[in-house]
Amino acid sequence: MNLFIDQNSQYTSRSQIARVMTEGWAATNLYCPNCGHHALTQYEANRPVADFFCSICRDDFELKSSSRAFGRKMANGAYAAKMQKLVSDTTPNLVLLRYDLSRRQVRDLTCVPRRFFVHSIIEARKPLAETARRRGWVGSNILLHLVPKVGRIDLVRNGEVMDRRAVLERWRKTAFLERNTGTARGWLVDVMICIENLEKETFSLNDIYECEDRLEQLYPGNQHVRAKIRQQLQVLRDNGYLVFLGNGEYRRNT
């Protein structure tokens, strides 16, 4: 992977130059972190679904670029469309690229597998004002700070290219989430978020029960939240994300 960005562009706008440069770099250098194929193929311009796809496994990827570090949340498209993608399970994988124009270099490159995009990670923005051209339109934010660390896979970190085999291994580590869709996947990811928020490598069942109120708010139709938590912990244990230590104690295996 060559981190140098070609600055040749016909545009004069800084934002347009950055977009063309980063898309061109991605088309030349990005590989598929799902199947390991050496390159991704760029979709035609202005495609609403995604920016790139893998010709082997057919996974889609959406590229977001910035000269600054990505914060706790990132603006995205229309909220209704984003929710529909979650329902239909057509959300693309997200690629976050941070670049340094002065160095003409990619500094950070992180992939978030689409399996981590669940309802709780998408936030509706305030509707546009009545005076706006698209009055009433509701956009969305992706709450990046809620994505578990295991779901933020670095391909480049501080200008250093990560080992490709390690990237593929990390990607496969949570592939079991793909066997679930909709609410079932949402429960798993939300319990993973609760576990990470504990900031403990080893935790107890009582520790995770502290998330009961939050999960009740996310799933108001469920009257047996504690039983549902225990079910998710068992699934996470069976798939190697957790190690059960006995007596209601667990250890993160990440």
Side-chain angles (χ1 to χ4, degrees), residues 5-25 65 99 101 104:
I5 300 176
D6 185 359
Q7 204 167 343
N8 182 29
S9 173
Q10 61 180 335
Y11 295 104
T12 56
S13 163
R14 188 178 179 87
S15 61
Q16 288 178 320
I17 291 172
R19 177 183 59 79
V20 172
M21 284 170 49
T22 53
E23 286 182 354
W25 179 89
S65 303
Y99 59 87
L101 275 183
R104 297 170 67 180

Side-chain angles (χ1 to χ4, degrees), residues 108 202 242:
D108 295 296
T202 301
L242 296 176

